[in-house]
């Protein structure tokens, strides 16, 4: 052995992520017979010569497996200062035991694998968390991102961004260096600072809206979020500023949703008489219509009526008089009932919704259709009436009445013309609401009235 | 046309779409935008570009074209009878929004679904048109996942498959009775038939691809589906059975489970109490056991309790091991891969590492410690060179010894 070898070698790599240079130097060291302890890869003080050593005269070409090369290419990008030395130690051992790498329980291999894993994760997170902002330069629009990688992965990740954004002009700035793509060639630049990148982007407000809206407050899992998106990345991602307020508001939003779905009638007894329903209705504030200050209009008719007619809701006249079906549509109905031979005095008439929903237009109160939710809430009262009157037949006028009776939206046309047996044995018949007839023009109206009359005639026959 | 600003509608239509669990962007054909006039690439592995505080990955722009819907499915926030605010996007607006986000590296692509407006065919045409604008007019090479409407014509579903990386049809509920009760407008046979059609088209395209390099793609990332858990009375055993049937019959890539969660303006038919989120997690674990660990569906079902539910306090693999203790202990130095995969605490990666390592050494507990997260959990179920569990495997209180102590979630944002 020459004295120089006894003193060892100091190898400095120009770039921290230069795998090729490390491999050439490592090969030379192996061929020179240098043990891992005789080579220094770090920049510390080390007695000896620097640069690659000459090979021993009888040295053979070192051989390593593809698996080692892949592992080393990743691990070498780690910011761990000892990575070059760790890799050389493993390389040295591999020359004596080529299958060593398969032994995943070996502590040294585990260590290097851990480095490679952390680098892979950093590469992946950079692809995920880089956020471009637009800027204008002499040639037009350029997309610029500021990112702070933990390891030396910038160059390694260049191909990904080139492949994906080939037709864009973009720059990625990092504290370790920068990349610039002009649509055709990639250039490397010096380390940059956060201030070199644009501070805002017009699309970020939309992106934050999306982020907040796609979050489901009913299933908060902060741990799962932090595991994959640790806080260290947050400062360069526009959406993360929202997280504290989203988390803080989540529980309240969920409770509000559960509240909205709660049984509104949990505190209400099944009413014992029609009079009790009429009284309780006046105090019902369970939906917005009940809260609009109008008077509730209860059903009307004998308790033992064989026929129950269900309309939609009281109108302007009904609300003023406090009785159902006394307005224009009510008059149309009464005419037809009489014609069909149905006695109103022996019929129970009521509505799916008991308060008047309207829109104020000047001095007039214009009818507004109740929502399905409002009809569903008011079903409690309709069910109460049905339970007490126990009609043999129910005639539902229009879609709202059908929803009130069935509890689900159904097509009028599909249900019309034939009876449907309801739970409890009553027979349901369906026809238009008389106000529909009022809205039609002469020709159409005549036809619709004939159908309406025929529907009523069929019901009269079943009585 | 909808006059509201894009941002206003985006909030409504993203909110309306978030109950679809899938956000995967993996497993499609590799593409890049070099040499094109457009933009985008796909790698084998999808990328999660952000995570929401609900722990879910945000990989795709997941929105509805519209939340108007003529259907009245009780579990759905967008059902006809719901009072939510309605909005719609045009295909062009969705395409532009997708590109705007994609260029800034916010997303991998688009996951587009829609409420049913006018009719199934009209709705499907709009979905296909959005994908067509992206692919043909903008030469977009990123990921597209389209929801397929099972009632739509076969030609439209085929068009969707040719443009998208993945198509999916939701079975919605694990049982047919549940579906007819909660989704009166949907039909289970129709859903299955559409899935069968997609399976066939995917298989044909793969076959053609083997013979002609230029053969057109058809949903290269396959098809997936979603089931709502806890909205009807279906047990875990029923759900696992249904899922494994779907994997077998229709070659699905994934079955997603979505624990029914409270929605604004919920229908009165639904249970008020949500199922525990952990139930969804246990179902995913059972799914993993079937897909990656070589368990049969009936074996995983064997881990369930008498009421047909998987235990919530321990994972199904441990539950299975505790029930079938005669299969243990397993000798880590001799047992075949299949037996090692059944050991609670040994994952696929650990088993592969163990198989490689034991060619070089006789495996001891300390070696296992380097390969796995926790040896303590393993010990009752294994034999190593320096370890034999003796009576441990048969102890009656073994479950208590191995169950994780209940942990309160940390309050991160508490003042």
């Amino acid at each position: 052995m020459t004295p120089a070898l006894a003193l060892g070698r100091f190898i400095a790599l120009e770039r921290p992520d230069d795998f090729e240079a490390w491999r050439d130097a490592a090969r030379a060291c192996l061929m020179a017979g240098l043990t891992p302890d005789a080579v220094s890869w770090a920049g510390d003080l080390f007695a000896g010569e620097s640069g690659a050593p000459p090979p021993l005269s009888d040295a053979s070409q070192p051989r390593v497996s593809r698996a080692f090369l892949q592992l080393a290419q990743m691990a070498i990008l780690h910011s761990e200062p000892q990575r070059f030395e760790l890799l050389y130690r493993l390389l040295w051992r591999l020359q004596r035991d080529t299958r060593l790498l398969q032994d995943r329980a070996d502590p040294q291999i585990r260590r290097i694998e851990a480095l490679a894993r952390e680098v892979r994760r950093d590469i992946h997170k950079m692809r995920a968390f880089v956020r471009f902002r637009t800027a204008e330069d002499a040639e037009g629009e350029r997309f610029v991102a500021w990112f702070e990688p933990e390891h030396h992965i910038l160059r390694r990740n260049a191909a990904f961004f080139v492949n994906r954004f080939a037709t864009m002009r973009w720059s990625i700035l990092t504290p370790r260096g920068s990349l610039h793509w002009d649509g055709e060639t990639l250039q490397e630049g010096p380390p940059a600072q956060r201030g070199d990148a644009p501070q805002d982007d017009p699309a970020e407000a939309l992106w934050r809206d999306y982020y907040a809206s796609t979050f489901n407050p009913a299933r908060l899992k902060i741990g799962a979020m932090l595991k994959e998106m640790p806080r260290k990345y947050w400062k360069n991602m526009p959406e993360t500023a929202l997280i504290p307020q989203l988390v803080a508001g989540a529980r309240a939003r969920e409770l509000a949703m559960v509240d909205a779905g709660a049984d509104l009638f949990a505190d209400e007894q099944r009413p014992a008489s029609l009079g009790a329903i009429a009284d309780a209705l006046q105090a019902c504030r369970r939906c917005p219509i009940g809260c609009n200050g109008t008077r509730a209009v209860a059903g009307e008719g004998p308790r033992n009526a064989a026929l129950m007619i269900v309309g939609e809701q009281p109108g302007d006249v009904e609300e003023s008089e406090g009785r159902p079906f006394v307005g224009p549509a009510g008059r149309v109905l009464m005419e037809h009932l009489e014609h069909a031979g149905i006695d109103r005095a022996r019929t129970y008439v009521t509505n799916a919704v008991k308060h008047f929903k309207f829109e104020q237009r000047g001095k007039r109160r214009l009818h507004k259709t109740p929502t399905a939710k409002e009809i569903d809430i008011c079903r409690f009262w309709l069910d109460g009436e049905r339970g007490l009157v126990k009609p043999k037949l129910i005639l539902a006028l229009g879609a709202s009445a059908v929803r009130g009776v069935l509890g689900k939206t159904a097509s009028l046309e599909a249900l019309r013309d034939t009876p449907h047996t309801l739970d409890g044995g009553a027979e349901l018949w369906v026809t238009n609401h008389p106000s529909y007839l009022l809205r039609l023009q002469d020709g159409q109206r005549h036809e619709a009235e004939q159908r309406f009359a025929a529907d009523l005639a069929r019901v009269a026959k079943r009585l | 046309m909808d006059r509201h600003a894009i941002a206003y509608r985006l909030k409504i239509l993203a909110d309306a779409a978030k109950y679809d669990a899938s956000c995967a962007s993996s497993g499609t054909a590799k593409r890049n935008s070099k040499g094109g006039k457009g933009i985008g690439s796909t790698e084998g592995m999808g990328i999660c570009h952000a995570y929401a505080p609900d722990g879910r990955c945000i990989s795709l722009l997941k929105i509805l074209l519209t939340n108007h819907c003529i259907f009245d499915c009780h579990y759905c926030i967008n059902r006809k009878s719901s009072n939510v605010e309605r909005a719609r996007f045009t295909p062009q607006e969705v395409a532009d929004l997708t590109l705007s986000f994609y260029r800034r590296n916010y997303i991998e692509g688009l996951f587009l679904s829609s409420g049913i407006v006018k009719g199934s065919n009209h709705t499907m045409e709009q979905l296909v048109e959005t994908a067509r604008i992206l692919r043909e007019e903008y030469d977009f090479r990123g990921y597209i996942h389209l929801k397929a409407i099972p009632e739509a014509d076969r030609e439209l579903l085929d068009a969707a498959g040719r443009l998208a990386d993945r198509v999916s049809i939701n079975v919605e509920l694990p049982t047919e009775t549940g579906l007819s009760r909660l989704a009166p407008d949907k039909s289970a046979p129709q859903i299955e038939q559409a899935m069968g059609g997609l399976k066939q088209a995917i298989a044909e395209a793969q076959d053609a691809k083997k013979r002609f390099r230029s053969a057109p793609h058809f949903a290269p990332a396959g098809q997936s589906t979603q089931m709502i858990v806890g909205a009807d009375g279906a047990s875990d055993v029923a759900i696992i059975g249904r899922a494994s049937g779907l994997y077998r019959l229709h070659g699905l890539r994934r079955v997603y489970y979505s624990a029914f969660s409270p929605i604004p303006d919920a229908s009165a038919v639904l249970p008020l109490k949500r199922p525990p989120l952990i139930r969804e997690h246990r179902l995913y674990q059972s799914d993993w056991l079937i897909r990656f660990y070589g368990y049969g569906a009936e074996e995983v079902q064997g881990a369930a309790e008498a009421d047909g539910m998987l235990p919530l306090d321990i994972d199904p693999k441990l539950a299975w091991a505790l029930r079938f203790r005669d299969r243990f202990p397993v000798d880590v130095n001799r047992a075949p891969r299949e037996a090692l995969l059944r050991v609670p605490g040994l994952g696929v990666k650990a088993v592969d590492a163990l198989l490689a390592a034991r060619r070089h050494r006789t495996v001891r507990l300390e070696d296992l410690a380097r390969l796995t997260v926790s040896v303590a959990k393993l010990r009752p179920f294994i034999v190593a060179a320096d370890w034999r569990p003796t009576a441990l495997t048969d102890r009656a209180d073994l479950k208590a010894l191995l169950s994780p102590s209940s942990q309160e979630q940390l309050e991160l944002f508490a003042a």
Side-chain angles (χ1 to χ4, degrees):
Chain A
M1 260 189 191
T2 64
L5 284 184
L7 275 172
R9 282 275 160 179
F10 164 59
I11 308 244
L13 302 180
E14 248 177 68
R15 297 195 324 230
D17 60 348
D18 195 342
F19 176 74
E20 306 296 322
W22 176 85
R23 187 179 60 183
D24 291 346
R27 183 192 289 125
C29 291
L30 276 182
M31 292 176 74
L34 292 180
T35 66
D37 287 330
V39 187
S40 166
W41 299 87
D44 55 358
L45 290 172
F46 192 82
E49 293 180 60
S50 68
L56 296 179
S57 53
D58 58 346
S60 60
Q61 215 28 259
R63 304 189 69 85
V64 286
S65 64
R66 184 187 299 269
F68 172 80
L69 288 178
Q70 284 171 346
L71 182 67
Q73 274 170 352
M74 277 293 156
I76 211 156
L77 303 180
H78 204 281
S79 49
E80 163 66 55
Q82 288 186 309
R83 61 191 184 280
F84 303 115
E85 183 194 327
L86 284 168
L87 283 170
Y88 187 65
R89 282 187 189 282
L90 180 58
L91 184 62
W92 179 264
R93 284 175 67 203
L94 280 172
Q95 302 310 307
R96 277 137 198 86
D97 178 1
T98 49
R99 288 168 61 227
L100 178 67
L101 209 52
Q102 292 170 3
D103 186 3
R104 311 277 291 278
D106 181 276
Q108 202 176 41
I109 293 172
R110 294 299 285 181
R111 172 91 197 276
I112 291 173
E113 277 188 336
L115 296 184
R117 198 165 47 241
E118 282 160 28
V119 168
R120 269 194 296 268
R121 184 175 158 95
D122 204 33
I123 287 174
H124 186 76
K125 292 301 178 193
M126 177 174 169
R127 293 173 183 185
F129 298 151
V130 155
R131 296 285 183 265
F132 285 114
R133 287 172 165 162
T134 44
E136 289 291 323
D137 63 16
E139 286 148 78
E141 191 177 44
R142 176 172 279 276
F143 290 81
V144 184
W146 165 253
F147 190 75
E148 294 167 72
E150 223 168 296
H151 305 294
H152 305 281
I153 56 166
L154 181 65
R155 207 171 276 115
R156 172 86 184 196
N157 246 346
F160 170 83
F161 289 97
V162 168
N163 281 338
R164 177 157 290 194
F165 301 112
T167 51
M168 275 169 27
R169 299 170 61 244
W170 53 262
S171 299
I172 298 176
L173 313 179
T174 84
R176 297 176 190 273
S178 49
L179 294 174
H180 306 280
W181 173 257
D182 64 359
E184 277 167 16
T185 55
L186 185 71
Q187 289 191 330
E188 291 182 15
Q193 289 176 331
R194 181 194 301 270
D196 300 338
Q199 298 307 300
D200 198 10
D201 185 278
E204 281 179 9
L206 269 182
W207 172 241
R208 275 193 290 265
D209 285 340
Y210 175 70
Y211 183 78
S213 305
T214 200
F215 158 59
N216 183 351
R219 32 184 313 154
L220 207 53
K221 280 186 175 175
I222 300 171
M225 169 187 66
L226 284 173
K227 186 166 169 256
E228 295 298 337
M229 192 173 76
R231 281 167 180 280
K232 64 182 176 194
Y233 295 110
W234 288 18
K235 57 182 180 293
N236 296 320
M237 298 169 70
E239 62 273 29
T240 51
L242 294 176
I243 292 172
Q245 77 199 57
L246 289 178
V247 171
R251 185 72 189 141
R253 283 170 69 190
E254 185 190 357
L255 286 178
M257 286 190 264
V258 173
D259 270 357
D263 181 4
L264 293 166
F265 291 89
D267 56 345
E268 188 81 41
Q269 299 281 320
R270 266 283 133 210
S273 71
L274 293 172
I277 292 180
D279 292 342
L281 274 177
Q282 298 302 338
C284 184
R285 300 285 179 269
R286 290 178 181 85
C287 78
I289 318 180
C291 303
N292 69 3
T294 57
R295 146 158 76 159
V297 178
E300 194 179 271
R303 157 108 191 230
N304 57 359
L307 171 63
M308 177 184 275
I309 298 179
V310 184
E312 184 186 66
Q313 63 174 352
D316 186 61
V317 183
E318 283 85 359
E319 201 266 333
S320 312
E321 297 193 16
R323 293 184 58 205
F325 287 105
V326 292
R331 278 196 298 279
V332 171
L333 176 66
M334 292 317 141
E335 277 166 29
H336 278 92
L337 283 181
E338 201 174 322
H339 196 253
I342 298 172
D343 187 357
R344 163 153 188 175
R346 294 173 62 187
T347 305
Y348 189 89
V349 288
T350 188
N351 283 302
V353 171
K354 306 294 198 263
H355 280 88
F356 174 34
K357 183 174 183 180
F358 64 91
E359 195 175 342
Q360 194 79 42
R361 283 276 176 81
K363 285 186 178 168
R364 295 171 61 205
R365 300 192 293 179
L366 290 186
H367 163 272
K368 242 187 127 183
T369 307
T371 65
K373 177 96 177 178
E374 287 156 353
I375 296 170
D376 290 349
I377 292 172
C378 220
R379 266 191 97 197
F380 178 83
W381 303 117
L382 183 61
D383 283 350
E385 291 173 296
R386 281 173 60 187
L388 291 164
V389 177
K390 298 197 182 64
K392 186 176 142 206
L393 303 177
I394 295 179
L395 174 62
L397 306 175
S400 296
V402 169
R403 174 134 197 143
V405 175
L406 294 179
K408 64 179 186 189
T409 301
S411 149
L412 216 64
E413 282 307 315
L415 292 176
R416 208 166 172 171
D417 299 335
T418 50
H420 307 271
T421 308
L422 299 168
D423 291 344
E427 210 170 77
L428 170 69
W429 288 81
V430 171
T431 188
N432 294 121
H433 195 277
S435 65
Y436 166 74
L437 304 176
L438 290 174
R439 288 199 301 271
L440 294 176
Q441 300 300 316
D442 294 344
Q444 284 179 309
R445 175 163 175 178
H446 181 67
E447 200 178 307
E449 279 194 343
Q450 280 192 323
R451 255 191 104 185
F452 187 71
D455 286 341
L456 291 196
R458 265 193 292 247
V459 171
K461 227 185 203 170
R462 300 287 298 179
L463 268 173
Chain B
M1 195 38 42
D2 206 320
R3 299 177 315 274
H4 284 292
I6 293 276
Y8 186 84
R9 288 181 277 152
L10 176 62
K11 284 186 209 170
I12 293 173
L13 293 169
D15 191 86
K18 70 185 170 198
Y19 300 97
D20 231 307
S22 168
C23 203
S25 54
S26 300
T28 192
K30 284 195 181 187
R31 296 187 292 265
N32 66 54
S33 53
K34 279 176 149 175
K37 62 180 172 63
I39 188 172
S41 65
T42 49
E43 314 252 317
M45 275 263 285
I47 297 172
C48 295
H49 285 273
Y51 290 81
D54 53 19
R56 295 213 247 205
C57 133
I58 301 175
S59 174
L60 304 169
L61 171 62
K62 180 160 54 176
I63 50 172
L64 302 188
L65 209 44
T66 173
N67 64 341
H68 289 277
C69 192
I70 58 173
F71 284 6
D72 203 20
C73 309
H74 287 284
Y75 50 81
C76 179
I77 184 177
N78 305 313
R79 67 188 187 285
K80 178 165 61 176
S81 59
S82 160
N83 272 338
V84 291
E85 198 165 354
R86 309 284 170 168
R88 57 182 290 199
F89 276 132
T90 62
Q92 185 68 47
E93 285 169 333
V94 171
D96 289 341
L97 192 59
T98 305
L99 281 179
S100 166
F101 282 2
Y102 196 88
R103 286 205 178 94
R104 289 163 178 83
N105 203 39
Y106 299 161
I107 52 171
E108 288 291 285
L110 175 68
F111 177 0
L112 189 64
S113 179
S114 180
I116 314 287
V117 273
K118 292 186 188 165
S120 304
N121 280 341
H122 173 79
T123 308
M124 199 65 223
E125 278 166 19
Q126 297 286 302
L127 293 174
V128 168
E129 172 63 7
T130 311
R132 189 200 62 77
I133 294 173
L134 277 170
R135 288 280 194 246
E136 292 177 5
E137 292 181 20
Y138 294 126
D139 193 14
F140 175 68
R141 300 180 185 183
Y143 192 92
I144 298 179
H145 178 166
L146 286 183
K147 187 62 72 183
I149 317 280
E151 295 81 9
D153 289 347
R154 178 70 195 268
E155 296 80 64
L156 286 166
L157 297 189
D158 285 349
R162 284 193 296 274
L163 293 164
D165 293 280
R166 169 169 285 186
V167 279
S168 64
I169 300 173
N170 285 356
V171 295
E172 308 291 11
L173 291 157
T175 63
E176 207 165 319
T177 48
L179 189 73
S180 62
R181 193 170 70 87
L182 294 177
D185 307 299
K186 297 199 178 193
S187 126
Q190 183 123 48
I191 292 174
E192 295 256 352
Q193 193 192 341
M195 281 181 160
L198 285 177
K199 177 202 177 185
Q200 196 189 347
I202 292 169
E204 280 168 10
Q206 280 170 346
D207 192 47
K209 203 84 195 157
K210 276 180 205 144
R211 280 177 285 157
F212 314 102
R213 258 193 82 209
S214 57
H217 281 294
F218 191 97
Q223 65 168 326
S224 64
T225 193
Q226 170 169 307
M227 255 189 258
I228 298 162
V229 175
D232 63 352
S235 68
D236 290 347
V237 164
I239 291 171
I240 293 165
R242 178 87 168 110
S244 89
L246 288 172
Y247 280 123
R248 205 175 49 241
L249 276 175
H250 302 306
L252 294 182
R253 286 286 182 90
R254 278 294 292 276
V255 174
Y256 290 92
Y257 303 101
S258 173
F260 164 71
S261 67
I263 53 173
D265 199 30
S267 160
V269 181
L270 287 173
L272 258 180
K273 240 183 100 197
R274 67 173 188 197
L277 285 183
I278 190 78
R279 182 175 173 203
E280 179 189 297
H281 185 59
R282 295 295 179 229
L283 283 168
Y284 276 122
Q285 287 176 322
S286 72
D287 200 72
W288 247 244
L289 291 184
I290 293 171
R291 292 197 298 144
F292 303 116
Y293 286 77
Y295 286 71
E298 48 321 311
E299 287 184 293
V300 179
Q301 288 169 330
E305 312 273 356
D307 61 357
M309 304 300 259
L310 293 170
L312 292 178
D313 53 344
I314 53 172
D315 64 79
K317 194 175 173 188
L318 179 57
W320 186 88
L322 288 172
R323 182 147 304 169
F324 301 99
R325 293 193 196 183
D326 53 318
R327 304 281 205 101
F328 300 95
V330 167
D331 187 340
V332 293
N333 282 300
R334 283 188 193 81
R337 189 168 187 273
E338 301 76 54
L340 291 171
L341 281 172
R342 304 246 160 173
V343 175
L346 281 186
V348 175
K349 273 188 182 169
V351 166
D352 290 339
L354 176 61
L355 289 173
R358 77 183 187 188
R359 278 185 230 124
H360 296 268
R361 58 177 75 214
T362 308
V363 176
R364 306 167 70 84
L365 273 189
E366 59 173 2
D367 301 318
L368 278 174
R370 280 192 287 271
L371 296 173
T372 62
V373 180
S374 153
V375 181
K377 198 180 169 190
L378 293 176
R379 288 203 305 196
F381 301 104
I382 54 155
V383 170
D386 57 345
W387 169 257
R388 194 161 280 280
T390 61
L392 191 53
T393 316
D394 299 319
R395 276 175 65 159
D397 61 348
L398 185 55
K399 181 178 167 187
L401 285 178
L402 295 172
S403 297
S405 55
S406 70
Q407 290 172 346
E408 293 276 315
Q409 189 167 32
L410 293 176
E411 273 296 335
L412 270 147
F413 297 96

